[in-house]
Amino acid sequence: MSIRIKLLATAAVLAAAPALADEVNVYTTRQAFLIEPVMDAFTKETGIAVNLAFVEKGLVERLKSEGDRSPADLVMTVDIANLNQIVEAGVLQPVDSKVLKDSIPANLRSPDDLWFALTTRARVVFASKERVKDGEVTTYEDLASDKWKGRICTRAGVHDYNLALLAAVIAHHGEAAAKEWAAGVKANLARKPEGNDRSQVKAVWAGECDISLTNTYYMGAMLADPEQKAWADSVRIVFPTFENGGTHVNVSGIAMTKAAPNKAAAQKLMEFLVSPEAQAIYAEKNTEYPVLPGAKLSELVENWGSFTPDTIDLTDLAKLRPTALKIMEEVGYDD
Ligand code: FE
């Protein structure tokens, strides 16, 4: 699907005639197979067409350069760091919606109504079935203890996923303790950080390390990939918690652009995406967790077990990102 650019359709014109809005334009960094099914369900229910533009790189730059003339109504991406970057670019408008507020827990949406999480993913431990005993993995804090020396694999410390986790450590324990923790985990690494989250699971499978830090949905992705299934089968998911909190989660989310030419239809789509039906479809496709309390989990995800998500505000994590980055550099995590 391609975007039909409507240079003349300003938000003001469409606000005067909302009934004419029969399409929504979405810029997304997500893969087609993840979001097309839920968009199709929306179109089927409302008759409103959804035009998807898959923007792999430079999403923020593109929105900024298009400015008021952007054809994009909505932006869908992952990770609080990316959502916050779009907020800071000043290209979003708030969406005042009771449906969104009632459906999404407050810590998973912007306090200014600028972005809304649609799914969550937990950043957890994938533990070797052979070399890690039940109950051996406990808290995030414990990952810095000597018992894990030479047993942990992670991707780069400066990656968004690890920066958000470290930001959560800072939020729970303060900067000094977080620095000690990062240095402790670094000292326990079996090897210099390299590759992505799945590479770490492969390393566990290969016997290089016993546990990896990995996002939950990669279990689903690896099981679906013939080459990677053995990696997935060699580990089990364990949900660590913070000593004074729950399991760290991050999000995929959605936001409305300031330029949105089809504002009413765009809000309709946002509200549809938090309905029980849409939540179940969307979460299942990427083996993520719905944000709507009580929405149906995929059978696979349900089998991983239940956990208590940390309730730290994601906006606070976004604010702590620069401090987390500084700490990763100071402890030489990736050296
Ligand atoms: Fe990912």
Side-chain angles (χ1 to χ4, degrees):
M1 275 179 278
S2 64
I3 290 277
R4 278 174 274 164
I5 299 178
K6 299 199 298 184
L7 288 175
L8 296 174
T10 66
V13 168
L14 283 162
L20 297 178
D22 58 353
E23 63 178 357
V24 184
N25 301 325
V26 181
Y27 283 4
T28 180
T29 60
R30 305 217 80 181
Q31 296 173 72
F33 81 96
L34 296 179
I35 60 174
E36 276 170 354
V38 76
M39 297 306 173
D40 288 346
F42 173 71
T43 300
K44 214 167 145 194
E45 192 169 303
T46 61
I48 299 170
V50 180
N51 305 311
L52 296 170
F54 297 96
V55 184
E56 252 180 65
K57 290 218 164 82
L59 175 65
V60 177
E61 291 69 27
R62 182 160 164 185
L63 288 166
K64 268 195 194 160
S65 70
E66 288 173 350
D68 290 347
R69 292 175 310 163
S70 178
D73 296 292
L74 299 172
V75 189
M76 289 175 82
T77 189
V78 299
D79 207 279
I80 183 58
N82 292 319
L83 289 165
N84 193 56
Q85 215 193 340
I86 302 170
V87 169
E88 287 182 346
V91 293
L92 298 178
Q93 66 173 306
V95 178
D96 183 13
S97 159
K98 187 172 172 355
V99 174
L100 292 174
K101 285 191 182 111
D102 287 351
S103 307
I104 307 170
N107 63 315
L108 302 180
R109 50 183 161 82
S110 143
D112 310 315
D113 300 330
L114 288 173
W115 59 264
F116 301 85
L118 294 175
T119 56
T120 66
R121 60 274 294 284
R123 189 143 187 81
V124 298
V125 167
F126 282 35
S128 164
K129 284 177 182 168
E130 277 174 18
R131 300 183 300 281
V132 178
K133 293 187 287 287
D134 275 339
E136 204 176 341
V137 177
T138 54
T139 60
Y140 291 106
E141 289 86 347
D142 180 63
L143 297 176
S145 80
D146 281 350
K147 82 181 202 212
W148 295 112
K149 189 134 266 162
R151 300 174 70 193
I152 303 179
C153 282
T154 77
R155 76 192 308 164
V158 298
H159 187 273
D160 285 337
Y161 298 163
N162 286 333
L163 289 177
L165 176 61
L166 182 54
V169 179
I170 301 169
H172 279 290
H173 299 298
E175 187 178 337
K179 187 172 172 183
E180 229 172 274
W181 180 81
V185 175
K186 155 80 182 160
N188 288 340
L189 294 181
R191 59 176 194 181
K192 193 177 146 160
E194 61 177 54
N196 56 22
D197 268 13
R198 291 188 231 196
S199 313
Q200 316 314 317
V201 183
K202 183 184 183 186
V204 173
W205 166 78
E208 276 185 78
C209 33
D210 294 344
I211 61 174
S212 72
L213 270 179
T214 299
N215 284 354
T216 41
Y217 56 87
Y218 286 117
M219 178 62 93
M222 290 187 295
L223 287 171
D225 183 321
E227 194 203 328
Q228 299 174 0
K229 189 173 178 300
W231 312 349
D233 286 337
S234 75
V235 295
R236 64 177 185 281
I237 290 183
V238 190
F239 297 92
T241 61
F242 284 103
E243 280 165 5
N244 52 353
T247 297
H248 173 66
V249 295
N250 210 313
V251 295
S252 81
I254 194 163
M256 189 184 287
T257 69
K258 231 179 218 171
N262 308 290
K263 201 176 153 182
Q267 183 167 337
K268 226 180 230 182
L269 175 56
M270 292 173 92
E271 291 172 349
F272 174 79
L273 288 173
V274 295
S275 67
E277 177 200 0
Q279 282 280 290
I281 299 172
Y282 191 33
E284 161 139 31
K285 287 298 159 201
N286 197 32
T287 56
E288 292 179 296
Y289 295 91
V291 286
L292 178 73
K296 199 173 158 289
L297 294 180
S298 82
E299 208 176 301
L300 174 66
V301 173
E302 190 144 33
N303 282 337
W304 297 339
S306 60
F307 67 98
T308 306
D310 209 19
T311 50
I312 280 190
D313 210 298
L314 287 181
T315 303
D316 293 338
L317 295 191
K319 283 188 202 137
L320 289 168
R321 188 180 191 276
T323 311
L325 182 59
K326 189 187 76 171
I327 289 175
M328 285 297 194
E329 285 165 358
E330 281 171 0
V331 304
Y333 193 91
D334 296 328
D335 297 344

Short mmCIF file of all heavy atoms in Angstrom, two decimals, residues 103-154:
data_model
loop_
_atom_site.label_atom_id
_atom_site.label_comp_id
_atom_site.label_asym_id
_atom_site.label_seq_id
_atom_site.Cartn_x
_atom_site.Cartn_y
_atom_site.Cartn_z
N SER A 103 -8.53 2.71 28.47
CA SER A 103 -8.02 1.41 28.02
C SER A 103 -6.55 1.20 28.34
O SER A 103 -6.10 0.07 28.49
CB SER A 103 -8.22 1.26 26.51
OG SER A 103 -9.55 1.49 26.16
N ILE A 104 -5.79 2.29 28.40
CA ILE A 104 -4.34 2.17 28.55
C ILE A 104 -3.91 2.65 29.93
O ILE A 104 -4.19 3.79 30.30
CB ILE A 104 -3.61 3.00 27.46
CG1 ILE A 104 -4.13 2.63 26.07
CG2 ILE A 104 -2.10 2.80 27.55
CD1 ILE A 104 -3.65 3.56 24.96
N PRO A 105 -3.23 1.80 30.71
CA PRO A 105 -2.75 2.23 32.02
C PRO A 105 -1.93 3.53 31.93
O PRO A 105 -1.21 3.74 30.94
CB PRO A 105 -1.86 1.07 32.48
CG PRO A 105 -2.39 -0.13 31.73
CD PRO A 105 -2.88 0.41 30.41
N ALA A 106 -2.05 4.37 32.93
CA ALA A 106 -1.48 5.72 32.87
C ALA A 106 0.03 5.74 32.66
O ALA A 106 0.57 6.63 32.00
CB ALA A 106 -1.83 6.49 34.13
N ASN A 107 0.74 4.72 33.18
CA ASN A 107 2.20 4.74 33.02
C ASN A 107 2.63 4.35 31.62
O ASN A 107 3.80 4.44 31.26
CB ASN A 107 2.87 3.81 34.05
CG ASN A 107 2.50 2.36 33.86
OD1 ASN A 107 1.33 2.03 33.67
ND2 ASN A 107 3.48 1.48 33.88
N LEU A 108 1.67 3.91 30.78
CA LEU A 108 1.99 3.49 29.42
C LEU A 108 1.49 4.46 28.37
O LEU A 108 1.28 4.10 27.21
CB LEU A 108 1.39 2.10 29.15
CG LEU A 108 1.85 0.97 30.10
CD1 LEU A 108 1.18 -0.35 29.73
CD2 LEU A 108 3.37 0.81 30.06
N ARG A 109 1.24 5.69 28.78
CA ARG A 109 0.88 6.72 27.80
C ARG A 109 1.43 8.06 28.28
O ARG A 109 1.75 8.23 29.45
CB ARG A 109 -0.63 6.79 27.59
CG ARG A 109 -1.46 6.88 28.84
CD ARG A 109 -2.96 6.85 28.53
NE ARG A 109 -3.75 6.51 29.68
CZ ARG A 109 -4.11 7.35 30.64
NH1 ARG A 109 -3.74 8.62 30.58
NH2 ARG A 109 -4.83 6.95 31.67
N SER A 110 1.53 8.98 27.32
CA SER A 110 2.10 10.28 27.62
C SER A 110 1.18 11.06 28.55
O SER A 110 -0.04 11.08 28.36
CB SER A 110 2.29 11.04 26.30
OG SER A 110 2.03 12.40 26.45
N PRO A 111 1.75 11.74 29.55
CA PRO A 111 0.91 12.56 30.44
C PRO A 111 0.25 13.71 29.68
O PRO A 111 -0.75 14.26 30.13
CB PRO A 111 1.90 13.08 31.49
CG PRO A 111 3.26 12.90 30.90
CD PRO A 111 3.17 11.78 29.92
N ASP A 112 0.81 14.05 28.53
CA ASP A 112 0.26 15.13 27.71
C ASP A 112 -0.60 14.61 26.56
O ASP A 112 -0.87 15.34 25.60
CB ASP A 112 1.40 15.98 27.13
CG ASP A 112 2.39 16.40 28.19
OD1 ASP A 112 1.93 16.82 29.27
OD2 ASP A 112 3.61 16.29 27.95
N ASP A 113 -0.95 13.34 26.60
CA ASP A 113 -1.78 12.71 25.56
C ASP A 113 -1.12 12.72 24.18
O ASP A 113 -1.80 12.71 23.15
CB ASP A 113 -3.16 13.40 25.46
CG ASP A 113 -3.93 13.31 26.76
OD1 ASP A 113 -3.74 12.33 27.51
OD2 ASP A 113 -4.72 14.24 27.04
N LEU A 114 0.22 12.73 24.17
CA LEU A 114 0.91 12.82 22.88
C LEU A 114 1.23 11.45 22.27
O LEU A 114 1.35 11.33 21.07
CB LEU A 114 2.20 13.62 23.03
CG LEU A 114 2.02 15.12 23.24
CD1 LEU A 114 3.33 15.80 23.56
CD2 LEU A 114 1.36 15.77 22.02
N TRP A 115 1.41 10.44 23.10
CA TRP A 115 1.60 9.08 22.57
C TRP A 115 0.90 8.08 23.48
O TRP A 115 0.65 8.36 24.66
CB TRP A 115 3.09 8.73 22.43
CG TRP A 115 3.88 8.81 23.72
CD1 TRP A 115 4.62 9.86 24.16
CD2 TRP A 115 3.97 7.81 24.74
NE1 TRP A 115 5.16 9.59 25.39
CE2 TRP A 115 4.79 8.33 25.76
CE3 TRP A 115 3.44 6.52 24.89
CZ2 TRP A 115 5.09 7.61 26.93
CZ3 TRP A 115 3.75 5.80 26.05
CH2 TRP A 115 4.56 6.35 27.05
N PHE A 116 0.60 6.93 22.89
CA PHE A 116 -0.13 5.89 23.61
C PHE A 116 0.48 4.54 23.28
O PHE A 116 0.68 4.22 22.10
CB PHE A 116 -1.61 5.91 23.18
CG PHE A 116 -2.28 7.23 23.44
CD1 PHE A 116 -2.18 8.27 22.50
CD2 PHE A 116 -2.98 7.46 24.60
CE1 PHE A 116 -2.78 9.51 22.73
CE2 PHE A 116 -3.58 8.69 24.84
CZ PHE A 116 -3.49 9.71 23.92
N ALA A 117 0.78 3.75 24.31
CA ALA A 117 1.29 2.41 24.05
C ALA A 117 0.16 1.52 23.55
O ALA A 117 -1.00 1.67 23.96
CB ALA A 117 1.89 1.81 25.32
N LEU A 118 0.50 0.62 22.64
CA LEU A 118 -0.49 -0.34 22.13
C LEU A 118 -0.18 -1.76 22.58
O LEU A 118 -1.08 -2.58 22.73
CB LEU A 118 -0.53 -0.28 20.59
CG LEU A 118 -1.05 1.03 20.01
CD1 LEU A 118 -0.94 1.00 18.48
CD2 LEU A 118 -2.50 1.29 20.43
N THR A 119 1.10 -2.04 22.74
CA THR A 119 1.51 -3.36 23.24
C THR A 119 2.71 -3.15 24.15
O THR A 119 3.39 -2.12 24.09
CB THR A 119 1.95 -4.31 22.11
OG1 THR A 119 3.00 -3.70 21.35
CG2 THR A 119 0.80 -4.69 21.20
N THR A 120 2.96 -4.15 25.00
CA THR A 120 4.18 -4.12 25.80
C THR A 120 4.99 -5.37 25.52
O THR A 120 4.47 -6.37 25.03
CB THR A 120 3.91 -4.04 27.32
OG1 THR A 120 3.27 -5.26 27.74
CG2 THR A 120 3.03 -2.87 27.68
N ARG A 121 6.27 -5.27 25.81
CA ARG A 121 7.20 -6.39 25.75
C ARG A 121 8.03 -6.31 27.01
O ARG A 121 8.38 -5.21 27.44
CB ARG A 121 8.07 -6.31 24.50
CG ARG A 121 8.94 -5.08 24.36
CD ARG A 121 8.30 -3.85 23.73
NE ARG A 121 7.95 -4.04 22.33
CZ ARG A 121 8.86 -4.03 21.34
NH1 ARG A 121 10.11 -3.74 21.58
NH2 ARG A 121 8.49 -4.24 20.10
N ALA A 122 8.31 -7.46 27.60
CA ALA A 122 9.12 -7.44 28.81
C ALA A 122 10.57 -7.72 28.43
O ALA A 122 10.84 -8.49 27.49
CB ALA A 122 8.61 -8.49 29.79
N ARG A 123 11.50 -7.08 29.13
CA ARG A 123 12.92 -7.37 28.93
C ARG A 123 13.33 -8.32 30.03
O ARG A 123 13.36 -7.95 31.21
CB ARG A 123 13.76 -6.10 28.94
CG ARG A 123 15.22 -6.36 28.53
CD ARG A 123 15.78 -5.22 27.72
NE ARG A 123 17.11 -5.49 27.16
CZ ARG A 123 17.35 -6.18 26.06
NH1 ARG A 123 16.36 -6.73 25.39
NH2 ARG A 123 18.58 -6.36 25.61
N VAL A 124 13.60 -9.55 29.67
CA VAL A 124 13.71 -10.62 30.65
C VAL A 124 14.97 -11.45 30.45
O VAL A 124 15.80 -11.13 29.59
CB VAL A 124 12.46 -11.55 30.57
CG1 VAL A 124 11.19 -10.77 30.88
CG2 VAL A 124 12.38 -12.21 29.19
N VAL A 125 15.06 -12.52 31.21
CA VAL A 125 16.19 -13.45 31.08
C VAL A 125 15.75 -14.68 30.30
O VAL A 125 14.70 -15.25 30.57
CB VAL A 125 16.71 -13.85 32.48
CG1 VAL A 125 17.65 -15.04 32.38
CG2 VAL A 125 17.41 -12.66 33.13
N PHE A 126 16.53 -15.02 29.29
CA PHE A 126 16.37 -16.31 28.62
C PHE A 126 17.47 -17.20 29.21
O PHE A 126 18.66 -16.90 29.05
CB PHE A 126 16.54 -16.18 27.10
CG PHE A 126 15.34 -15.61 26.38
CD1 PHE A 126 14.53 -14.64 26.94
CD2 PHE A 126 15.02 -16.05 25.09
CE1 PHE A 126 13.43 -14.12 26.27
CE2 PHE A 126 13.92 -15.53 24.40
CZ PHE A 126 13.12 -14.57 24.98
N ALA A 127 17.07 -18.25 29.91
CA ALA A 127 18.03 -19.06 30.67
C ALA A 127 18.19 -20.45 30.08
O ALA A 127 17.21 -21.08 29.66
CB ALA A 127 17.55 -19.17 32.12
N SER A 128 19.43 -20.91 30.04
CA SER A 128 19.71 -22.25 29.55
C SER A 128 18.92 -23.28 30.34
O SER A 128 18.96 -23.29 31.58
CB SER A 128 21.21 -22.55 29.69
OG SER A 128 21.43 -23.95 29.57
N LYS A 129 18.20 -24.14 29.64
CA LYS A 129 17.44 -25.19 30.32
C LYS A 129 18.40 -26.17 31.01
O LYS A 129 18.07 -26.74 32.03
CB LYS A 129 16.59 -25.96 29.31
CG LYS A 129 15.35 -25.22 28.86
CD LYS A 129 14.60 -26.04 27.81
CE LYS A 129 13.37 -25.31 27.29
NZ LYS A 129 12.82 -25.95 26.09
N GLU A 130 19.60 -26.31 30.44
CA GLU A 130 20.56 -27.28 30.98
C GLU A 130 21.37 -26.75 32.15
O GLU A 130 21.67 -27.48 33.08
CB GLU A 130 21.58 -27.66 29.88
CG GLU A 130 21.12 -28.74 28.94
CD GLU A 130 22.12 -28.95 27.81
OE1 GLU A 130 23.30 -28.53 27.94
OE2 GLU A 130 21.71 -29.51 26.78
N ARG A 131 21.76 -25.48 32.08
CA ARG A 131 22.76 -25.00 33.04
C ARG A 131 22.24 -24.02 34.08
O ARG A 131 23.00 -23.57 34.93
CB ARG A 131 23.93 -24.37 32.27
CG ARG A 131 24.63 -25.35 31.32
CD ARG A 131 25.82 -24.73 30.61
NE ARG A 131 25.49 -23.57 29.79
CZ ARG A 131 24.95 -23.64 28.57
NH1 ARG A 131 24.68 -24.81 28.03
NH2 ARG A 131 24.67 -22.54 27.91
N VAL A 132 20.96 -23.67 33.97
CA VAL A 132 20.39 -22.74 34.96
C VAL A 132 19.23 -23.43 35.68
O VAL A 132 18.29 -23.91 35.05
CB VAL A 132 19.92 -21.44 34.29
CG1 VAL A 132 19.29 -20.50 35.31
CG2 VAL A 132 21.08 -20.75 33.58
N LYS A 133 19.37 -23.50 36.99
CA LYS A 133 18.35 -24.20 37.79
C LYS A 133 17.11 -23.34 37.99
O LYS A 133 17.18 -22.11 37.95
CB LYS A 133 18.93 -24.54 39.18
CG LYS A 133 20.06 -25.56 39.14
CD LYS A 133 20.48 -26.00 40.54
CE LYS A 133 21.27 -24.95 41.32
NZ LYS A 133 22.66 -24.73 40.87
N ASP A 134 15.99 -23.98 38.23
CA ASP A 134 14.77 -23.26 38.59
C ASP A 134 15.06 -22.42 39.83
O ASP A 134 15.66 -22.91 40.78
CB ASP A 134 13.64 -24.25 38.93
CG ASP A 134 12.91 -24.71 37.68
OD1 ASP A 134 12.98 -23.99 36.65
OD2 ASP A 134 12.28 -25.78 37.71
N GLY A 135 14.65 -21.19 39.80
CA GLY A 135 14.82 -20.34 40.98
C GLY A 135 16.17 -19.64 41.04
O GLY A 135 16.41 -18.80 41.91
N GLU A 136 17.06 -19.98 40.11
CA GLU A 136 18.40 -19.36 40.14
C GLU A 136 18.35 -17.89 39.70
O GLU A 136 19.08 -17.06 40.23
CB GLU A 136 19.35 -20.17 39.23
CG GLU A 136 20.81 -20.02 39.60
CD GLU A 136 21.72 -20.90 38.75
OE1 GLU A 136 21.25 -21.88 38.12
OE2 GLU A 136 22.92 -20.58 38.70
N VAL A 137 17.49 -17.62 38.74
CA VAL A 137 17.31 -16.23 38.31
C VAL A 137 16.26 -15.59 39.20
O VAL A 137 15.16 -16.13 39.34
CB VAL A 137 16.84 -16.15 36.84
CG1 VAL A 137 16.59 -14.71 36.43
CG2 VAL A 137 17.85 -16.81 35.91
N THR A 138 16.60 -14.47 39.80
CA THR A 138 15.65 -13.84 40.72
C THR A 138 15.34 -12.40 40.32
O THR A 138 14.33 -12.14 39.68
CB THR A 138 16.20 -13.87 42.16
OG1 THR A 138 17.50 -13.28 42.17
CG2 THR A 138 16.27 -15.30 42.70
N THR A 139 16.25 -11.49 40.66
CA THR A 139 15.99 -10.07 40.41
C THR A 139 16.97 -9.51 39.38
O THR A 139 18.00 -10.13 39.09
CB THR A 139 16.19 -9.26 41.71
OG1 THR A 139 17.54 -9.45 42.14
CG2 THR A 139 15.23 -9.71 42.79
N TYR A 140 16.65 -8.35 38.86
CA TYR A 140 17.61 -7.64 37.99
C TYR A 140 18.86 -7.29 38.80
O TYR A 140 19.97 -7.39 38.30
CB TYR A 140 16.97 -6.36 37.43
CG TYR A 140 15.87 -6.62 36.43
CD1 TYR A 140 14.53 -6.43 36.77
CD2 TYR A 140 16.16 -7.05 35.13
CE1 TYR A 140 13.52 -6.67 35.86
CE2 TYR A 140 15.15 -7.28 34.21
CZ TYR A 140 13.83 -7.09 34.58
OH TYR A 140 12.82 -7.33 33.68
N GLU A 141 18.64 -6.90 40.05
CA GLU A 141 19.77 -6.51 40.90
C GLU A 141 20.78 -7.67 41.00
O GLU A 141 21.99 -7.47 40.94
CB GLU A 141 19.28 -6.13 42.30
CG GLU A 141 18.52 -4.81 42.37
CD GLU A 141 17.02 -4.96 42.06
OE1 GLU A 141 16.61 -6.02 41.55
OE2 GLU A 141 16.26 -4.00 42.32
N ASP A 142 20.25 -8.89 41.10
CA ASP A 142 21.09 -10.07 41.28
C ASP A 142 21.98 -10.37 40.08
O ASP A 142 22.99 -11.07 40.20
CB ASP A 142 20.17 -11.28 41.58
CG ASP A 142 20.96 -12.56 41.79
OD1 ASP A 142 21.75 -12.60 42.75
OD2 ASP A 142 20.81 -13.50 40.98
N LEU A 143 21.63 -9.82 38.91
CA LEU A 143 22.45 -10.07 37.71
C LEU A 143 23.86 -9.50 37.86
O LEU A 143 24.77 -9.85 37.11
CB LEU A 143 21.78 -9.48 36.46
CG LEU A 143 20.41 -10.08 36.11
CD1 LEU A 143 19.81 -9.36 34.91
CD2 LEU A 143 20.54 -11.58 35.81
N ALA A 144 24.03 -8.60 38.84
CA ALA A 144 25.36 -8.02 39.07
C ALA A 144 26.14 -8.80 40.12
O ALA A 144 27.29 -8.46 40.43
CB ALA A 144 25.20 -6.56 39.52
N SER A 145 25.56 -9.87 40.66
CA SER A 145 26.26 -10.62 41.72
C SER A 145 27.25 -11.63 41.12
O SER A 145 27.11 -12.06 39.98
CB SER A 145 25.26 -11.32 42.63
OG SER A 145 24.81 -12.52 42.02
N ASP A 146 28.24 -11.99 41.94
CA ASP A 146 29.34 -12.85 41.48
C ASP A 146 28.90 -14.19 40.92
O ASP A 146 29.61 -14.79 40.13
CB ASP A 146 30.30 -13.12 42.66
CG ASP A 146 31.22 -11.94 42.90
OD1 ASP A 146 31.22 -11.03 42.03
OD2 ASP A 146 31.91 -11.91 43.93
N LYS A 147 27.74 -14.65 41.35
CA LYS A 147 27.32 -15.98 40.91
C LYS A 147 27.13 -16.07 39.40
O LYS A 147 27.13 -17.15 38.82
CB LYS A 147 26.06 -16.43 41.65
CG LYS A 147 24.74 -15.91 41.10
CD LYS A 147 23.57 -16.41 41.94
CE LYS A 147 22.28 -16.37 41.16
NZ LYS A 147 21.12 -16.10 41.99
N TRP A 148 27.01 -14.92 38.76
CA TRP A 148 26.82 -14.92 37.30
C TRP A 148 28.11 -14.65 36.54
O TRP A 148 28.09 -14.44 35.33
CB TRP A 148 25.75 -13.89 36.91
CG TRP A 148 24.39 -14.23 37.44
CD1 TRP A 148 23.69 -13.58 38.40
CD2 TRP A 148 23.56 -15.35 37.05
NE1 TRP A 148 22.49 -14.21 38.64
CE2 TRP A 148 22.39 -15.29 37.82
CE3 TRP A 148 23.71 -16.39 36.11
CZ2 TRP A 148 21.36 -16.24 37.69
CZ3 TRP A 148 22.70 -17.32 35.99
CH2 TRP A 148 21.54 -17.25 36.78
N LYS A 149 29.21 -14.64 37.21
CA LYS A 149 30.50 -14.32 36.55
C LYS A 149 30.73 -15.18 35.32
O LYS A 149 30.68 -16.40 35.39
CB LYS A 149 31.64 -14.50 37.56
CG LYS A 149 32.97 -13.99 37.03
CD LYS A 149 33.71 -13.14 38.06
CE LYS A 149 33.41 -11.67 37.88
NZ LYS A 149 33.63 -10.75 38.85
N GLY A 150 30.94 -14.52 34.18
CA GLY A 150 31.22 -15.24 32.94
C GLY A 150 30.04 -15.99 32.36
O GLY A 150 30.20 -16.83 31.47
N ARG A 151 28.83 -15.67 32.84
CA ARG A 151 27.66 -16.46 32.41
C ARG A 151 26.61 -15.66 31.66
O ARG A 151 25.62 -16.22 31.20
CB ARG A 151 27.00 -17.09 33.65
CG ARG A 151 27.92 -18.04 34.42
CD ARG A 151 27.27 -18.52 35.71
NE ARG A 151 26.15 -19.44 35.44
CZ ARG A 151 25.25 -19.81 36.37
NH1 ARG A 151 25.34 -19.33 37.59
NH2 ARG A 151 24.29 -20.64 36.06
N ILE A 152 26.80 -14.33 31.54
CA ILE A 152 25.76 -13.48 30.94
C ILE A 152 26.18 -13.00 29.55
O ILE A 152 27.33 -12.63 29.33
CB ILE A 152 25.47 -12.25 31.82
CG1 ILE A 152 25.07 -12.67 33.24
CG2 ILE A 152 24.38 -11.38 31.21
CD1 ILE A 152 24.78 -11.50 34.19
N CYS A 153 25.22 -13.02 28.60
CA CYS A 153 25.42 -12.39 27.29
C CYS A 153 24.35 -11.32 27.08
O CYS A 153 23.18 -11.55 27.37
CB CYS A 153 25.30 -13.42 26.17
SG CYS A 153 26.75 -14.46 25.95
N THR A 154 24.78 -10.15 26.62
CA THR A 154 23.81 -9.12 26.22
C THR A 154 24.30 -8.42 24.96
O THR A 154 25.48 -8.49 24.63
CB THR A 154 23.63 -8.00 27.29
OG1 THR A 154 24.75 -7.09 27.23
CG2 THR A 154 23.49 -8.56 28.69
#
